[in-house]
Amino acid sequence: MIRKATAVWQGTGKDGKGHLTTPSTVLDKTQYSFSSRFESGVGTNPEELVAAAHAGCFAMKLSFNLQEAEYTATELDVTANITFEEGTLKKSHLVLKAKVDGISQEKFDELVKDAEKNCPISRALNMEISVESTLNA
């Protein structure tokens, strides 16, 4: 399987602008720029997209782990906090709020740890990854 996205950039790094497009059209000439990356301008940015990818991948991997252990999540709410310092992605801290009936904290923690280490995005990222989870709160 190969997935792709296209970035088009015009102009200088600070004053230029660009857009991102994916074949699914979820991103369809979606704006990004210096201000959307380093300030609070309109549009997305690469770090936000990495955060979305990591949160989504982790949630799906945990869902598969729960399924294999014969549990079904009512909801997995995952926020990925990407730290970008000195031009480098330094860490991804995942905050998970899960609703899963009938599972012990110990089993849940085991499945979370596996998802943290083994979701494809976690495996691709060369940075510190941590998870803070809450079960049925």
Side-chain angles (χ1 to χ4, degrees):
M1 173 173 44
I2 296 175
R3 298 289 187 204
K4 62 183 177 177
T6 301
V8 175
W9 187 265
Q10 298 167 327
T12 65
K14 187 162 187 178
D15 297 319
K17 61 183 178 180
H19 64 265
L20 304 165
T21 301
T22 57
S24 69
T25 69
V26 168
L27 299 177
D28 187 11
K29 296 188 178 178
T30 302
Q31 175 184 327
Y32 76 113
S33 65
F34 179 89
S35 66
S36 69
R37 189 173 194 186
F38 298 107
E39 297 166 357
S40 59
V42 175
T44 191
N45 60 70
E47 294 73 30
E48 179 178 75
L49 295 171
V50 170
H54 199 199
C57 185
F58 173 83
M60 188 174 274
K61 175 62 175 161
L62 180 55
S63 179
F64 276 113
N65 287 356
L66 289 163
Q67 180 182 343
E68 288 175 18
E70 300 184 0
Y71 297 97
T72 301
T74 303
E75 183 174 88
L76 301 174
D77 180 331
V78 182
T79 301
N81 298 284
I82 298 289
T83 301
F84 181 60
E85 295 174 345
E86 301 168 0
T88 302
L89 298 178
K90 298 284 188 174
K91 58 185 165 181
S92 180
H93 179 69
L94 301 169
V95 178
L96 165 65
K97 295 175 187 168
K99 294 179 183 169
V100 184
D101 291 333
I103 193 169
S104 70
Q105 185 70 52
E106 180 180 66
K107 184 64 174 178
F108 177 73
D109 291 344
E110 172 190 323
L111 299 176
V112 167
K113 193 65 164 169
D114 180 80
E116 174 188 347
K117 298 229 178 283
N118 293 306
C119 90
I121 299 297
S122 287
R123 291 166 51 179
L125 295 174
N126 185 24
M127 69 174 89
E128 176 188 331
I129 297 170
S130 59
V131 178
E132 173 185 335
S133 65
T134 305
L135 175 62
N136 297 326

